[in-house]
Amino acid sequence: MGKQRGFIESKLKENRVFYPSIDFAQKANIDTDELERLKKWAEMDWEGFWRYFAVKKIHWFKRFEEVLDDSNPPFFRFFPGGKLNASYNCLDRHIKSWRKNKAAIIWESENGETRIMTYQELYIEVNKFANVLKTLGIKKGDRVIIYMPMIPEAAVAMLASARIGAIHSVVFGGFSSEALRDRINDAKPKVIITADGGFRNGKAIPLKSKVDEAMEELDYKVDYVVVVRHIDRDIHMKPLRDFWYQDLMSDPDYAQIYCHPEAVESNNPLFILYTSGSTGKPKGIVHSTAGYLLWTMLTMKWVFDIKDEDTFWCTADIGWITGHSYGVYGPLAMGATTVMYEGVPTYPTPAKWWELVEKHSINILYTAPTAIRALMRLGNEWVLKHNLTSLRLLGSVGEPINPEAWMWYYTTIGNERAPIVDTWWQTETGGHMITTLPGAQAAKPGSAGTPLPGIFADVVDTEGKKINDPDKGGLLVITKPWPSMLLTIWGDDKKYIDVYWKKFEDKGYYFAGDGARKDSDGYFWIMGRVDDVLNVSGHRIGTMEVESALVSHRYVAEAAVVGRPDEITGEAIVAFVVLKEGVDKSRHDEMVRELREHVQKQIGPIAKPQEIIFTDALPKTRSGKIMRRLLRDIAAGRQINQDTSTLEDATVLDKLTELKQKLEEEMNKNNSSNK
Ligand code: WTA
């Protein structure tokens, strides 16, 4: 697999190394000696290591019986028998301390409106909403879908669900009603929590109406919809099913001030989060309570070097794992102040983010390479208007960061003072896996770094043999279970085994789906997905999902979707489409537009192909498999110099080559007319 995408030879050579300043290293939570000690400890006494941190970091209602139950691999269960509550760990223990009046969430909107919720305020809001959910009949183990804009109520909904032992599933607010419907059908929630809408780019975007659309053709009955009034528009509310959040929260019959936290077992699912894989259907990744919480806390402390005085901003939407682990659970469990921003980085001006950093004296900023590249392109003047000296640490996540963007982030945003942590992890891993610790390790632009203490990762060949050649790429695996690992795929244990464990069954390795190389210092260089998953703006999009969206359109007979390197988004979606017999091709531009909109409607704007190319046939192997690598070359305008002997029909290649020439000519024409 790796070979097909050309991952085996790594072309990226980057020799620069950046050490933290002495000042940073001296004050860091983890210094070089401590890192060495932790690594050795985890190697020599793996169980003792995890036991120590689990006891130290988590408030338990009942102590766990053992560190790991591995009697039924790969269904590993950490800290079995323990009882805890995630919302108690994020709230109750802080309000019993001086943090009671510390800011838990600082929220800001595009127009500069700010809301600050202290731990005490958040605690009351969560307790009240937990009681609301209980009154609506939600019980432990029931699913709660959250489809919300980036407002504090989204975090309240998550924590309230956790408080009563229900399982939340946040669906990204940018997903379409169809995508929402699929997730509702899979998770079967009793209640959906949403808002009338959200703000983005200066516009109010409706949300509740999408919930209504999703509910129209549901295989399943959702009892209630709770709607936060946010954009203040008149919307349709279905009697006895739909309730305003604000009404319920001001009703003493529903919203009493204290809700007893449900003591759940360590492996009681805290949430389900859907993510794309190589099949047409998103997978519901299920996370535990104890192991997940423990690792988000430890990584906050080790990787983000979090201190009580810090203001921490993770820019990810709560609809993604990054927003879960480092927007909500990690920071709150650590008693930190977390920033939430509802809007885009460039509205009202391209200085919005830097304005936020200055206004709230943000100390730690965690974002994605795609955002860094987009902001970099807009020029330094937007940055230089603002005082960013509060920033002491920067983070990156979602895709490999190219050294040019890394350098800009380091010099222009961090003023060569703030270390950068490039964190490799996945929805499935719950928290960071490979990175550098900012006060203990040097950073190399473009490399994520090394596995964290307690995490064991490696690069292997397709047989599972470790690759020791520092220039040779292979497949990234995790060789030992870790506390914040996924429990399973919701409702599909078999798929869980097939996707992550089958490949290296005899070794018991977790297959991450990424290609990587390990250099002579043991630093990992991630080379991207080796399966049919694209990474567009740091978001995982399955090519199959886009393909099935395309073929559901009445024009389309067949479709193949590939990624093309893109300067801003990392990868851009290119679709090759075979039209049905008899479809009139003369309306080319109009059809392209229609198909792009169709995909947007089916999945959401992030999955909209950048380009759609009509072709008479797709290149296939004799066994009927689409030869995507050829299409990738064509999409990227590269020379086709691969072995094409397995092609079922060689004339397809001629036609595609012809097509490619035509495309290039067109591109040249466009380029010269743009000049
Ligand atoms: C990619 C996001 C290189 C990788 C937390 C992974 C990265 C997928 C990095 C997971 C990084 C994430 N360097 N690649 N620092 N971080 N990736 O599930 O391909 O949305 O498998 O989780 O993003 O994406 P997901």
Side-chain angles (χ1 to χ4, degrees):
M1 247 200 292
K3 225 180 218 137
Q4 283 183 5
R5 286 196 76 170
F7 281 128
I8 297 300
E9 284 306 315
S10 166
K11 297 199 177 58
L12 189 70
K13 281 275 184 294
E14 169 64 57
N15 300 318
R16 284 173 289 193
V17 175
F18 292 82
Y19 291 90
S21 67
I22 292 174
D23 185 51
F24 190 99
Q26 276 174 344
K27 293 183 189 141
N29 287 341
I30 306 289
D31 63 15
T32 314
D33 293 343
E34 180 66 0
L35 172 62
E36 278 317 302
R37 190 182 73 86
L38 289 172
K39 281 203 162 161
K40 280 216 184 79
W41 182 9
E43 270 160 30
M44 292 166 64
D45 177 20
W46 189 83
E47 280 202 19
F49 174 89
W50 288 119
R51 182 181 302 109
Y52 171 83
F53 287 111
V55 170
K56 189 165 174 224
K57 287 283 162 202
I58 287 181
H59 178 95
W60 297 95
F61 295 136
K62 180 174 169 274
R63 247 311 263 282
F64 50 92
E65 285 145 17
E66 55 180 331
V67 168
L68 173 68
D69 173 2
D70 57 359
S71 59
N72 183 26
F75 299 91
F76 299 102
R77 297 297 177 249
F78 276 81
F79 316 119
K83 290 268 173 82
L84 76 162
N85 182 281
S87 98
Y88 186 97
N89 275 275
C90 289
L91 301 169
D92 302 45
R93 57 175 167 174
H94 302 316
I95 62 140
K96 291 177 185 157
S97 78
W98 65 268
R99 291 193 188 89
K100 177 174 69 174
N101 296 321
K102 177 178 174 175
I105 299 178
I106 298 179
W107 173 84
E108 180 151 339
S109 69
E110 282 180 340
N111 65 16
E113 188 191 339
T114 304
R115 264 171 79 189
I116 299 179
M117 276 176 112
T118 63
Y119 272 94
Q120 176 74 13
E121 286 168 328
L122 183 62
Y123 166 81
I124 289 181
E125 192 84 357
V126 167
N127 272 273
K128 281 170 73 177
F129 195 56
N131 277 325
V132 165
L133 291 176
K134 264 183 151 170
T135 316
L136 293 176
I138 314 302
K139 295 191 188 63
K140 178 169 171 249
D142 287 344
R143 272 79 60 212
V144 172
I145 280 200
I146 300 172
Y147 184 60
M148 298 265 262
M150 281 293 279
I151 52 176
E153 286 78 4
V156 170
M158 290 163 79
L159 292 164
S161 160
R163 193 158 190 93
I164 61 171
I167 305 169
H168 63 71
S169 183
V170 182
V171 178
F172 172 52
F175 275 134
S176 68
S177 51
E178 270 83 358
L180 175 63
R181 180 186 301 138
D182 288 347
R183 287 153 177 80
I184 297 173
N185 275 332
D186 194 71
K188 303 204 170 14
K190 273 198 177 158
V191 61
I192 298 177
I193 303 157
T194 187
D196 47 3
F199 291 100
R200 214 184 139 74
N201 233 336
K203 288 193 281 284
I205 317 272
L207 269 183
K208 165 64 165 56
S209 57
K210 291 201 204 157
V211 174
D212 291 339
E213 275 168 44
M215 302 262 268
E216 267 164 27
E217 290 162 42
L218 221 50
D219 308 345
Y220 167 83
K221 186 178 165 295
V222 177
D223 294 341
Y224 300 108
V225 180
V226 178
V227 188
V228 177
R229 193 189 294 281
H230 180 53
I231 59 170
D232 227 0
R233 301 288 147 93
D234 268 346
I235 56 164
H236 171 71
M237 296 287 279
K238 189 173 168 178
L240 303 176
R241 187 196 73 181
D242 302 349
F243 296 94
W244 289 106
Y245 175 92
Q246 281 85 351
D247 289 350
L248 296 172
M249 289 291 269
S250 56
D251 184 338
D253 286 344
Y254 282 86
Q256 276 135 25
I257 294 246
Y258 181 71
C259 174
H260 187 69
E262 183 83 29
V264 301
E265 202 269 344
S266 297
N267 293 286
N268 192 68
L270 178 60
F271 63 86
I272 305 169
L273 185 61
Y274 287 86
T275 188
S276 293
S278 47
T279 63
K281 208 173 139 254
K283 306 173 287 208
I285 304 300
V286 186
H287 274 290
S288 74
T289 301
Y292 172 79
L293 204 63
L294 173 62
W295 195 232
T296 57
M297 290 180 76
L298 283 178
T299 48
M300 278 302 295
K301 178 161 179 196
W302 296 351
V303 181
F304 290 133
D305 194 48
I306 196 80
K307 312 248 169 60
D308 252 317
E309 58 273 27
D310 284 324
T311 302
F312 177 82
W313 183 23
C314 162
T315 66
D317 190 280
I318 41 130
W320 312 111
I321 191 69
T322 310
H324 280 60
S325 303
Y326 301 109
V328 179
Y329 285 110
L332 295 179
M334 288 301 286
T337 299
T338 181
V339 175
M340 218 175 177
Y341 167 58
E342 183 193 7
V344 299
T346 46
Y347 186 88
T349 75
K352 180 68 198 189
W353 273 18
W354 317 125
E355 210 177 290
L356 274 171
V357 169
E358 182 172 12
K359 178 169 166 188
H360 301 291
S361 266
I362 289 167
N363 306 104
I364 304 167
L365 172 67
Y366 188 36
T367 192
T370 182
I372 299 168
R373 287 192 296 265
L375 291 166
M376 175 170 88
R377 211 173 62 154
L378 297 171
N380 290 358
E381 70 262 31
W382 301 105
V383 184
L384 299 175
K385 277 190 198 146
H386 292 279
N387 178 354
L388 306 185
T389 49
S390 59
L391 285 175
R392 65 177 194 89
L393 176 61
L394 303 171
S396 172
V397 60
E399 60 177 308
I401 177 165
N402 49 310
E404 192 197 351
W406 197 101
M407 287 308 300
W408 184 79
Y409 200 26
Y410 186 71
T411 50
T412 309
I413 305 305
N415 204 9
E416 299 181 19
R417 197 189 49 250
I420 296 182
V421 289
D422 176 358
T423 57
W424 177 87
W425 59 297
Q426 309 179 296
T427 305
E428 292 85 343
T429 71
H432 303 152
M433 303 296 276
I434 298 175
T435 184
T436 48
L437 292 188
Q441 284 172 292
K444 303 185 187 185
S447 162
T450 60
L452 282 161
I455 302 297
F456 296 84
D458 227 313
V459 176
V460 299
D461 65 16
T462 44
E463 258 79 64
K465 259 201 6 246
K466 295 193 179 173
I467 295 178
N468 289 318
D469 180 346
D471 288 321
K472 213 161 154 227
L475 304 173
L476 180 57
V477 291
I478 299 162
T479 57
K480 248 181 189 304
W482 67 103
S484 64
M485 63 191 295
L486 71 167
L487 293 175
T488 186
I489 292 174
W490 182 252
D492 205 341
D493 286 349
K494 183 176 174 299
K495 194 161 172 187
Y496 165 67
I497 297 172
D498 289 350
V499 173
Y500 305 106
W501 303 93
K502 256 252 139 60
K503 192 160 182 72
F504 300 112
E505 205 173 4
D506 50 332
K507 304 259 199 253
Y509 293 166
Y510 167 89
F511 172 51
D514 276 340
R517 162 178 86 85
K518 204 164 82 172
D519 71 16
S520 48
D521 295 327
Y523 275 52
F524 285 64
W525 298 73
I526 312 294
M527 297 190 256
R529 304 287 308 188
V530 294
D531 52 12
D532 292 325
V533 176
L534 304 181
N535 192 327
V536 181
S537 299
H539 300 314
R540 275 164 68 170
I541 297 168
T543 50
M544 282 271 283
E545 276 173 68
V546 183
E547 285 163 11
S548 32
L550 282 166
V551 294
S552 73
H553 192 280
R554 64 198 158 88
Y555 296 158
V556 180
E558 221 181 344
V561 166
V562 296
R564 170 175 59 204
D566 183 277
E567 263 183 36
I568 302 289
T569 59
E571 266 185 308
I573 301 176
V574 177
F576 290 83
V577 167
V578 181
L579 294 170
K580 280 190 185 147
E581 285 292 327
V583 174
D584 172 14
K585 291 182 193 157
S586 63
R587 296 183 305 120
H588 178 272
D589 293 357
E590 205 178 304
M591 280 160 81
V592 167
R593 199 173 44 240
E594 226 177 284
L595 288 178
R596 293 180 72 218
E597 270 160 22
H598 180 71
V599 176
Q600 166 160 353
K601 190 162 177 304
Q602 293 286 311
I603 307 174
I606 55 167
K608 201 161 151 181
Q610 192 184 67
E611 191 173 0
I612 293 186
I613 297 167
F614 294 131
T615 165
D616 293 337
L618 296 170
K620 288 185 186 162
T621 61
R622 278 167 240 267
S623 59
K625 226 172 144 349
I626 295 172
M627 293 180 76
R628 288 168 194 282
R629 61 197 167 108
L630 281 181
L631 295 177
R632 266 183 225 117
D633 282 348
I634 292 171
R638 281 189 297 256
Q639 205 65 37
I640 298 172
N641 52 11
Q642 294 140 338
D643 176 18
T644 51
S645 60
T646 50
L647 263 181
E648 174 206 34
D649 174 3
T651 63
V652 173
L653 185 61
D654 297 338
K655 284 187 197 144
L656 282 169
T657 317
E658 209 179 292
L659 193 73
K660 185 187 150 205
Q661 269 162 4
K662 248 187 17 213
L663 280 171
E664 268 169 15
E665 275 162 29
E666 251 172 58
M667 236 151 46
N668 289 341
K669 243 192 353 226
N670 284 346
N671 283 348
S672 48
S673 63
N674 283 345
K675 273 180 194 151

